[in-house]
Amino acid sequence: MKVRPVLRTRLCDLLGIDYPILQSGMGGVAGPGLVAEVSNAGGLGILAGLLLTGEQLRQAIAEVRARTDRPFGVNLLLPDDLRPPVPAAQVPADRMRAVHAVLNEFRRDLDLEPVAGPTPGPPDLVPEALQVLLDERVPVFSVGLGNPGRDLVADFHRRGTKVIAMVSTVEDARAVEAAGLDAVVAQGGEAGGHRSHFTKPPVAEAGAIGTMALVPQVVDAVRVPVAAAGGIADGRGLAAALALGASGVLMGTRFLATRESMAPEVHKKAVLEAGGDATTLTDVLSGRYARALRNAFTERYARSGAPVLPFLWQALAAGDIYRAAVTQKRAEYGALWAGQSAGLIGSLPGVAEVVEQVIGEARAVLTRELPRSVRLG
Ligand SMILES: Cc1cc2nc3c(=O)[nH]c(=O)nc-3n(C[C@H](O)[C@H](O)[C@H](O)COP(=O)(O)O)c2cc1C
């Protein structure tokens, strides 16, 4: 067997992994195949649990276990507006009509039937998902957009599950540490996907602190290990994160653009072709602020001035459009979550190659290869 080079941190010791590389849970992207490959490569693969029923989640966990005996994680989003989801009574009919009026313009372009009536909101899946994770004693529970709180963390700890949570401010990092968490993911504003806020902020840029500024602040504020997220796609990023005091990284966009990810071809292709300024922070795709590739959907919706429905109501209202964008390969109407690191990504490797390359590059930077412009006396 090939001997792997060593790059260990206390995050590796905590999670029982070889390399301080976490692959983020990503809805529709991080399925059992991707997760098991990352874990087999020495990192921590994290399964996306969003919008899966308890039975689907149990099945996906079984598939991961069939493919790897290494530690892995399962991710759930625990924001206040999903626990429980915003009820239909709080979604006025005239708002829903105004949303569908704009969406119907996109439907016309895609030859889809117009939608007249109200469309349903998200089901309340969090309680059954939590029960499955507790029953299954998964190695790591990964939380996005929320604070699980002391009692839930204690329940997981009693079953031997480590708990990590992603935050975007120092204040939230302190709050999740106070709940007894094992590690914190500091999510910078460059990150793809949803901003990890407990509550939706009034404007997009609230709490979108850059990774370079956020990570050392979080490292100074908490005692538990910190993983840096947002804008990291190669070994230079890992080395920089370690220099900032982080004990590892969590990468999303880089793992989305791999052969094993479940992301549709149209999404992978758009990421490969995108430059670093191709993304936008918007709530028009799901109801919560998230970073995605700017396209006709995000631009035209924003220009229309139409209201935005609550979290996931908005995503479900536009679900037929997102599906058509995939089947018709029309990237301009897709929900193409991605981070600014898309500008660093131009190939579609396998997961093992990504992990090997990131570790090799980081080791080179950390052991000898300072840029030529730097001289040390
Ligand atoms: C396609 C996509 C889907 C995502 N879905 C989730 C999710 O379901 N849960 C979660 O906690 N974070 C999710 N994220 C955010 C990541 O956890 C992470 O913050 C981000 O990917 C890090 O930045 P990077 O994309 O520059 O690596 C998603 C990110 C992307 C790109």
Side-chain angles (χ1 to χ4, degrees):
M1 208 176 89
K2 205 163 124 190
V3 180
R4 283 182 175 158
V6 175
L7 197 168
R8 284 193 77 79
T9 68
R10 66 183 182 125
L11 190 64
C12 301
D13 300 334
L14 173 79
L15 301 176
I17 55 180
D18 290 345
Y19 293 135
I21 297 177
L22 280 49
Q23 160 260 306
S24 78
M26 293 180 274
V29 173
L34 177 65
V35 171
E37 269 309 293
V38 174
S39 291
N40 283 332
L44 186 82
I46 302 179
L47 191 67
L50 179 67
L51 285 177
L52 296 189
T53 63
E55 204 33 56
Q56 289 168 328
L57 195 54
R58 212 181 282 282
Q59 176 66 30
I61 291 168
E63 280 181 45
V64 174
R65 286 193 158 128
R67 293 168 188 235
T68 186
D69 52 8
R70 314 289 295 245
F72 66 93
V74 183
N75 173 262
L76 293 180
L77 300 186
L78 301 182
D80 57 2
D81 42 5
L82 270 194
R83 302 183 74 188
V86 175
Q90 285 174 33
V91 184
D94 56 335
R95 289 190 71 140
M96 182 69 92
R97 267 196 303 276
V99 167
H100 281 300
V102 183
L103 295 180
N104 282 339
E105 293 176 21
F106 305 160
R107 291 189 177 104
R108 207 168 325 138
D109 293 351
L110 292 161
D111 288 326
L112 296 173
E113 289 297 318
V115 172
T119 38
D124 186 8
L125 294 171
V126 169
E128 65 184 84
L130 287 171
Q131 194 54 53
V132 168
L133 300 195
L134 288 166
D135 291 348
E136 292 287 331
R137 297 173 182 261
V138 295
V140 178
F141 173 35
S142 141
V143 180
L145 285 69
N147 184 348
R150 275 203 156 276
D151 293 348
L152 195 55
V153 173
D155 280 351
F156 276 100
H157 281 168
R158 269 194 292 277
R159 287 163 174 81
T161 297
K162 299 277 190 295
V163 186
I164 65 177
M166 185 166 70
V167 295
S168 58
T169 65
V170 169
E171 194 189 351
D172 288 356
R174 288 207 179 95
V176 292
E177 183 180 53
L181 265 96
D182 300 285
V184 168
V185 178
Q187 185 204 41
E190 300 93 318
H194 287 98
R195 306 292 313 130
S196 205
H197 302 299
F198 301 165
T199 304
K200 182 179 175 180
V203 290
E205 61 267 30
I209 305 159
T211 303
M212 189 87 175
L214 177 68
V215 170
Q217 293 180 54
V218 172
V219 166
D220 288 346
V222 300
R223 286 158 183 249
V224 293
V226 174
I232 300 165
D234 59 24
R236 294 170 296 182
L238 170 56
L242 297 177
L244 296 174
S247 305
V249 293
L250 173 133
M251 299 194 292
T253 307
R254 174 63 278 186
F255 283 116
L256 181 158
T258 57
R259 289 200 292 275
E260 294 88 343
S261 106
M262 283 193 315
E265 287 312 310
V266 66
H267 197 165
K268 292 184 185 180
K269 183 164 176 284
V271 168
L272 297 188
E273 288 170 358
D277 67 346
T279 66
T280 182
L281 260 186
T282 180
D283 61 351
V284 306
L285 293 169
S286 71
R288 278 266 194 160
Y289 291 112
R291 190 173 289 286
L293 296 179
R294 200 168 39 243
N295 60 7
F297 189 114
T298 63
E299 296 291 276
R300 285 175 59 188
Y301 198 103
R303 266 202 311 275
S304 77
V308 169
L309 299 176
F311 188 41
L312 295 187
W313 278 86
Q314 182 79 8
L316 295 177
D320 59 330
I321 297 173
Y322 302 153
R323 286 188 292 277
V326 168
T327 53
Q328 299 181 25
K329 300 203 188 320
R330 300 277 298 275
E332 64 269 35
Y333 291 110
L336 306 176
W337 322 109
Q340 292 176 342
S341 61
L344 285 166
I345 297 166
S347 64
L348 196 71
V351 161
E353 199 184 323
V354 169
V355 172
E356 203 174 307
Q357 202 165 347
V358 169
I359 293 299
E361 284 172 4
R363 281 173 52 87
V365 175
L366 293 167
T367 53
R368 54 179 189 279
E369 278 178 20
L370 280 172
R372 257 190 270 281
S373 57
V374 179
R375 276 188 312 194
L376 295 175

